[in-house]
Amino acid sequence: MTVRVYLASGFFNDQQLQKVEKTEGILRAKGLLVFSPREHQNESLPFGSREWRAETFRDDRAAILQSDVVVAIYDEQDAGTMWEIGFAYANQKPIVILHINEEPVNIMITESLHAYVDSFRQLDEYSFYRLRKIPYEGDVT
């Protein structure tokens, strides 16, 4: 069985792009089927148009619903990523949070996550077939 992963993250600056590209690579190297919104931008529609917004929203929402697990890069607390985490939780999707910096994590995220990983190495070692629960143990906001 192939595990379907929705990758929630910002991709609006160089630092975010580096993290999301590295995360995509790690997940795909594990044989996971990854939906990364940055790769599904409905380029046939004018960026930012009403049609583009509606289609992009529908596609991302459907991909979350079709996923087996959501991986979210938490580092910059991108508003879209926060919405995707909440929507995934409301739809009973396990959420794996990748948080590379050491800033405290919001309590709404700590209590909704299934697993917390704090490095690319830990993400690479995590089994998406077992989905072991890893609670967050750090400071909260």
Side-chain angles (χ1 to χ4, degrees):
M1 175 184 119
T2 302
V3 174
R4 296 166 300 182
V5 175
Y6 182 94
L7 177 54
S9 68
F11 48 91
F12 307 107
N13 62 47
D14 289 341
Q15 183 178 357
Q16 289 176 334
L17 275 172
Q18 289 173 357
K19 286 179 185 176
V20 74
E21 288 171 353
K22 185 163 185 163
T23 302
E24 291 164 350
I26 289 169
L27 297 174
R28 289 186 173 130
K30 296 166 84 54
L32 307 172
L33 181 61
V34 178
F35 181 95
S36 183
R38 77 175 190 92
E39 298 172 333
H40 300 273
Q41 288 294 300
N42 294 302
E43 293 176 2
S44 64
L45 299 171
F47 177 81
S49 67
R50 179 174 297 277
E51 297 82 11
W52 178 87
R53 293 190 318 252
E55 193 67 27
T56 299
F57 179 80
R58 273 193 297 271
D59 290 350
D60 291 359
R61 183 181 173 277
I64 292 170
L65 292 173
Q66 294 167 3
S67 71
D68 298 305
V69 60
V70 170
V71 173
I73 301 173
Y74 182 75
D75 289 354
E76 293 192 30
Q77 301 176 28
D78 170 71
T81 302
M82 298 306 103
W83 184 89
E84 291 161 326
I85 291 169
F87 185 72
Y89 181 79
N91 284 280
Q92 301 177 356
K93 302 293 179 179
I95 302 160
V96 176
I97 297 294
L98 173 62
H99 182 221
I100 303 216
N101 65 39
E102 296 186 18
E103 295 175 7
V105 178
N106 184 278
I107 188 173
M108 301 307 282
I109 303 304
T110 67
E111 299 313 299
S112 62
L113 62 80
H114 181 82
Y116 176 84
V117 297
D118 61 7
S119 68
F120 289 117
R121 181 188 56 75
Q122 193 177 13
L123 180 68
D124 188 39
E125 293 171 355
Y126 187 76
S127 172
F128 285 85
Y129 295 93
R130 286 191 183 146
L131 286 176
R132 180 173 61 96
K133 190 151 181 66
I134 305 173
Y136 174 77
E137 301 291 343
D139 294 333
V140 297
T141 60

